[in-house]
Amino acid sequence: WRGVGYNYGIRRSGQVEFGRDLDDDGDIWEEIGAHARGYNSRSLGICLAGGKGSNENDRFEDHFTPEQRIALAALMHGIQGALPKIKWLGHNAVAANACPGFQVNRAFLNSMGL
């Protein structure tokens, strides 16, 4: 295991942290993640702290804080500004699991202003 698999992490406080940077050069976008098998080489991973025991049909608010919502929206807007054609997917859309504990669908993206 070569470190955290996600490019970003968002703590319950809303603090955004850089994740995977295997060569310690500060450029996390060049790193191939270890967060979604089959998608790692063409994706960025964002991990939200919390969500334990979640169901894929839960609401964001069931497991995550308002501070995390604000931080996630800002991070997503920043990423989308750099990668305007990005397609947003939840881990549950590419793997047989419940995380992130909500659906990353059009309604969710609209609620984030995307």
Side-chain angles (χ1 to χ4, degrees), residues 29-101:
W29 284 24
E30 73 182 2
E31 304 293 346
I32 295 176
H35 52 273
R37 180 175 287 195
Y39 287 81
N40 290 322
S41 65
R42 60 183 192 263
S43 65
L44 295 171
I46 302 171
C47 178
L48 295 158
K52 186 175 192 283
S54 64
N55 179 290
E56 67 184 56
N57 294 314
D58 290 351
R59 298 171 306 137
F60 184 94
E61 295 77 17
D62 292 336
H63 301 284
F64 304 105
T65 67
E67 293 84 2
Q68 284 176 298
R69 177 179 275 281
I70 292 166
L72 179 61
L75 180 58
M76 291 173 79
H77 279 271
I79 292 170
Q80 189 155 347
L83 303 170
K85 295 183 180 185
I86 192 167
K87 180 177 181 183
W88 297 105
L89 298 171
H91 194 202
N92 52 23
V94 299
N97 58 46
C99 72

Side-chain angles (χ1 to χ4, degrees), residues 10-30:
I10 303 177
R11 292 186 178 268
R12 308 261 317 145
S13 66
Q15 178 183 349
V16 177
E17 297 181 340
F18 293 127
R20 195 170 186 86
D21 186 12
L22 300 177
D23 57 5
D24 293 321
D25 69 352
D27 184 0
I28 61 172
W29 284 24
E30 73 182 2

